[in-house]
Each structure stands twice: as C-alpha cells, then as structure tokens.
Amino acid sequence: DALDISVLRERMYHRAIKTGPDGALAAAMAALDIALWDLKGKLLNQPIYKLLGGAWRTDIPWYASAGNHANRSIEDTLRNLEQWLKFKPALIKIRLDGDRTVRDADIPGDIARIRAVRKLVGDKFPLVFDANNNYSVQAAIRVGRVLEELGFEWFEEPVQSYHIGNFEKVADALDIAISAGEQEYTLQGFQRLIDAGLDIIQPDLIKTGGFTGLMEIAALAKSSGVDVVPHQTQPSIGHVANLHFVAALAHGHYPAEYNDRPNPNGYGVQDAVFRNPILPDGGVFHLPNQPGLGLEINEDELQ
C-alpha cells in the first residue's frame, strides 16, 4: 500500500537491520521508498514536491560538482572548470577525490590549485572546496584559512568521516562553514555531526533510505538551526527525486548538486531511457508538475 510508506520503511529497516543500517540496506530501501512516493503521487495525481508540503521553488539553480582534481595539474583543473562554466552553474565545487589512505599528500599543491581557481572565476563567483576526507586536522585548518581568505562558501569533508571529534576541532578553528554527511546514513549519525558543530549537513537521499528518511534528517537540522544541502551524485531517478526534495525544503537557499555534465546532445548517460528527462536549462532545472516524479519511461530505450 503506497499510502503506508512510513510503516513499510520501519518494517524494512528492522527486518534487515543486521545487514545495515548503513550501506547497501539504505540504498535498497531508497529504491523502494522513491518508487512508493512516485506511485503515491500518481494515485493522488500530484507531483511529489506537493506531497512533501509544497514547493518553495520549482526553478532550481544547480551547482557543478567537479571532481577528480587530486591527480590533475593546475592547468588541467582550470580546463575542466572552463567546460563546466559553459553550462552556467550557480556555484562550482572543486572535489579532490584523492586516495583516502594517503593523508595530506600535497598541501602546497592543493593551495596553489585553490588560488588558481579563484583567479579563473573572479572574486565574486561562488566556490566550494571538498577535500573528500583527505586531510589531517592540522592540514585542514591550514587549507581552511586559505579558503576563508578567498571567500569560499563552505569546506566539505576536511577530515575522515568516522573521526567526529576531528570535525569538531576543525569547525572550532575556522570561520568558514564546515560541511559533511554523504558518508552518514542514519538520523543518529547526523545528530553526531550536528553535535560536533557542523554548519551544513549533506544527507544523500539514496543513502538515507529515500524521501522518508531524508525528511526526518531535515527536521532534525531545522530544530538545530543547521543548513541542509543534500549530497547528490546519482543520475536520472536519484537526481530528479533530489530536485523534488530540494523544491520542498524550507530555507533551502543553496543550489542543488549536479555532477552529470551534459554531453554535446544535452543528455546524461541514463537520461535516454526517459521520454522527458529533466535537464539543465542554463543555470536552472525546471521541475514539471506531472504526478509523482514526473518521469515517463521509454520502454524501447530501456530494453
């Protein structure tokens, strides 16, 4: 029964609790939860964002999540960002995506890359830096001070996700907003991040079990005065589901994450299986008002 979503979620969660609650269990639950919300929207003839409480915005700006820079030269980094800028994102995030087993690999090089990017885009263009858990506390503070000097919006995952106390040390030492959350799956995990003093939490709709789990985490953040900027690197269905959530998110003033850079014909890899993929139009995504997710499957392409 697609109107019993919370009941079904709780039963799924506890039936398979010994295979989770993190990781594959949460992702499997997300697939079912999103499908149930899609079905609920079709039964009630409403888009999902209406069922979540209504849309604050249906034209949603997006930010380019530009990755794999740990092993790029500065020149290659700048060329990559120039390609992203052609699609008019509202903000750019520079992700290191380095080897998480090698800490503080090239701090001077990372700082030089950060300065070069700021010079490329100018003083006023919004930028974010994601260390992907690659720094010690000391290195994170050193890099964070440069990010503050250059006016970056936030500093994402500076230290390993499982060292919650280290997040607290970095947050205490810096003025820039510290963010994390894509490695967390549970309401309790996000409570620990909030208690550590993070300014922004970044739950992923796929990793938190779908709309139902993510709504609980958003309510927790709202009660604590912490911003929610959902992490989202899933193509097609996950991406569109995230747009519905962002549309209904109160105080959601940040752009939505997007990392599936359109190819020359405008489509991401998985978009071809839909008759009406939701694609970036300049610097925004326009959410449709069709029931459910609003996606129509092209069965021939899916086959």
Side-chain angles (χ1 to χ4, degrees), residues 27-46:
M29 287 173 55
L32 293 166
D33 187 84
I34 293 169
L36 287 166
W37 278 92
D38 187 40
L39 179 55
K40 183 178 179 179
K42 289 169 181 172
L43 288 168
L44 301 177
N45 198 34
Q46 295 291 335

Side-chain angles (χ1 to χ4, degrees), residues 175-193:
D175 294 328
I176 188 173
I178 304 301
S179 74
E182 67 179 88
Q183 316 295 340
E184 290 291 348
Y185 297 80
T186 65
L187 188 66
Q188 296 75 20
F190 282 95
Q191 180 67 68
R192 289 189 287 271
L193 289 178

